[in-house]
Amino acid sequence: MNDWPEAWSDDNRGRRYGHGSASAQPEGARVMRQVRRGPAATPPGQSAYGGGVPQQPSYVNGGYDDAYGNDYNTGQVYGTPGGGGPGGPDDPYGPRPRPNWRRRIKWTALTLVTLLIVVSIGTYFWADSKLNRDVDLSKVIDRPEAGAGTNYLIVGSDSREGLSAEEKKKLRTGSAEGKRTDSMMILHTGDNGPTLISLPRDSDVEIPTFVGSESGKTFQGTGRHVKLNAAYAEDGPELLVRTVEFNTGLHIDHYVEIGFAGFANIVDSVGGVEIEIPKGGMKDTKSGANFQAGKQTLNGEQALAFVRTRYALAGSDLDRTKNQQKFLAALANQTATPSTVLNPFKLYPTMGAGLDTLVVDKDMSLFDLADMFWAMKGVTGGDGKSMNMPISGSSGGNLVWDEAKVKTLVGQLKNDEKVTVSSN
């Protein structure tokens, strides 16, 4: 009896391709009995598995029948509840642990704090390296004793350094060689709020005995009187500090100077400064000022024209110093905003524009500079006060200080008391 299914005889096997077949041609499609989907009919009296082909799995209703069990339908063989896959009861590694969120938050916070410290330290050394510490106050002789609080001498010079011919023309700075003081202020910081005192450039002062900053030679005082800005023109910052201290009796702790280019660049870097022009507007052909009355935002070029204008003002230099105080306070307020301090794309350009052009004394630190900046911001608010040096009259075109008021003012500053003296 042939146990092979129909068409699977030995003769057919002999014609197969491969497995020792003598034929060089591949076999054609196999001729196999068609397997029905569903239970196969079994002749009466014959076992379902007797002598024939084993029963094939059924695909009734699109699924496997019980020949393979129902586990393929339940999914238990893939590790679902009751199965033996990952995370199941038969998993040799056990259930997966839950994420430790407290640990993750801790390490994330630690990473951010470390990054902040690194950036802060890097920013400090970057900014510190940009300061031009060119003024040596140790060359100033016969200095008054230091009092309470801190006194900064802030100078705006008419230096054209760094300006091209086109920029000089645009900013109307002229092309004079060297540099002179365009504005001078004393800023006092202490426990009773900041006080900003403008020193008119035409103030009548005496040039005392001094040591030349470059030559080291001693120049004896002869009692000659000049305008205050002449002291700077004669021997620079060191003689200016010596002259201010000699004529006021007030110890100057730090010196800060900025030129035309630096001032304009700082204003542009913060996107301009909003200022209110008084009624009647302002127009000065020499400085280039041409402003209508009311609030407006000034760019660097316009700001420079605003703080330099004096010929269009009734009080000339005295009114100009008031405008300078007003603008510097507005600039400080504009800069010390979250939109600038928390925005590195504005903060670093602003710091770069300011620090690159600042000239300070050798002992000035970034912390001192920050103290000065925040004090300037508070001049117009809270306990802050701004004023001109009290004037009693004029002599030969020079403005003469009111000696009695100046003495009281200096005494209050030395003792870090609340200033009660007024400009009038």
Side-chain angles (χ1 to χ4, degrees):
M1 178 179 176
N2 184 4
D3 291 335
W4 291 96
E6 183 180 351
W8 278 43
S9 65
D10 288 339
D11 293 338
N12 289 334
R13 293 178 64 197
R15 293 193 299 270
R16 292 177 62 197
Y17 177 69
H19 298 283
S21 171
S23 174
Q25 299 295 325
E27 63 178 327
R30 288 180 178 177
V31 180
M32 296 182 64
R33 178 181 298 170
Q34 183 176 4
V35 179
R36 294 191 307 165
R37 304 297 183 185
T42 304
Q46 183 176 347
S47 170
Y49 299 102
V53 178
Q55 184 178 9
Q56 303 296 312
S58 173
Y59 296 88
V60 178
N61 298 326
Y64 293 98
D65 64 5
D66 290 341
Y68 291 96
N70 293 324
D71 288 346
Y72 285 94
N73 293 331
T74 63
Q76 292 177 357
V77 294
Y78 295 106
T80 55
D90 297 332
D91 185 356
Y93 297 101
R96 295 180 179 178
R98 294 182 178 180
N100 189 334
W101 290 108
R102 296 181 66 180
R103 181 182 178 86
R104 292 185 180 184
I105 293 173
K106 173 184 175 181
W107 281 105
T108 300
L110 182 61
T111 301
L112 291 176
V113 170
T114 302
L115 181 61
L116 179 61
I117 293 174
V118 171
V119 171
S120 299
I121 293 175
T123 299
Y124 176 87
F125 284 104
W126 168 78
D128 189 72
S129 67
K130 284 185 168 293
L131 283 177
N132 300 306
R133 296 184 173 92
D134 298 335
V135 179
D136 188 357
L137 295 184
S138 67
K139 295 180 180 179
V140 180
I141 63 173
D142 300 333
R143 308 192 66 187
E145 290 185 5
T150 304
N151 299 311
Y152 299 88
L153 181 60
I154 304 173
V155 175
S157 76
D158 63 359
S159 171
R160 281 83 173 169
E161 185 176 351
L163 293 176
S164 64
E166 184 179 349
E167 289 172 329
K168 290 177 183 178
K169 182 178 180 181
K170 180 181 178 182
L171 298 176
R172 296 175 182 262
T173 64
S175 300
E177 295 296 329
K179 57 182 182 180
R180 286 150 294 277
T181 53
D182 207 56
S183 62
M184 290 159 284
M185 304 177 188
I186 294 174
L187 175 65
H188 174 84
T189 64
D191 296 334
N192 285 287
T195 301
L196 184 62
I197 307 161
S198 288
L199 309 175
R201 58 184 289 179
D202 294 338
S203 296
D204 185 82
V205 293
E206 179 183 340
I207 298 294
T209 299
F210 70 95
V211 174
S213 58
E214 297 294 336
S215 65
K217 180 181 177 181
T218 299
F219 296 88
Q220 294 294 330
T222 60
R224 64 187 171 99
H225 281 240
V226 298
K227 292 181 179 180
L228 181 58
N229 65 339
Y232 181 94
E234 187 172 331
D235 197 49
E238 288 84 359
L239 179 55
L240 178 62
V241 171
R242 168 75 174 125
T243 303
V244 170
E245 290 186 340
F246 177 81
N247 286 269
T248 63
L250 186 67
H251 181 87
I252 299 299
D253 297 289
H254 292 293
Y255 177 92
V256 181
E257 177 187 324
I258 188 168
F260 283 160
F263 181 81
N265 288 340
I266 292 175
V267 174
D268 284 334
S269 67
V270 298
V273 175
E274 186 179 75
I275 201 77
E276 185 167 0
I277 305 300
K279 186 178 179 179
M282 182 184 297
K283 187 172 183 179
D284 184 358
T285 57
K286 291 191 176 183
S287 68
N290 187 10
F291 309 119
Q292 301 296 321
K295 284 187 177 181
Q296 50 195 286
T297 299
L298 307 184
N299 60 26
E301 177 185 351
Q302 295 168 327
L304 190 57
F306 177 78
V307 298
R308 294 182 63 213
T309 296
R310 64 170 176 165
Y311 295 104
L313 305 175
S316 188
D317 200 40
L318 292 177
D319 283 348
R320 181 172 73 159
T321 56
K322 294 177 182 178
N323 282 341
Q324 291 170 347
Q325 292 176 347
K326 178 180 178 181
F327 189 87
L328 289 178
L331 175 60
N333 277 286
Q334 178 84 10
T335 306
T337 58
S339 62
T340 298
V341 176
L342 300 180
N343 183 354
F345 297 102
K346 290 187 69 175
L347 176 62
Y348 285 97
T350 301
M351 291 178 65
L355 297 174
D356 273 341
T357 56
L358 283 180
V359 177
V360 299
D361 64 89
K362 293 184 181 298
D363 296 326
M364 172 75 85
S365 69
L366 285 178
F367 295 107
D368 295 322
L369 199 60
D371 174 66
M372 184 198 79
F373 176 79
W374 287 107
M376 185 72 73
K377 182 178 182 293
V379 164
T380 57
D383 296 327
K385 181 181 179 67
S386 61
M387 58 182 291
N388 279 326
M389 187 65 83
I391 303 296
S392 62
S394 62
S395 175
N398 296 351
L399 297 175
V400 179
W401 294 350
D402 187 318
E403 292 185 7
K405 286 187 175 182
V406 169
K407 184 177 180 179
T408 301
L409 172 63
V410 170
Q412 292 174 340
L413 294 177
K414 278 186 173 182
N415 297 320
D416 195 23
E417 299 172 351
K418 190 173 182 62
V419 173
T420 59
V421 178
S422 65
S423 303
N424 301 324

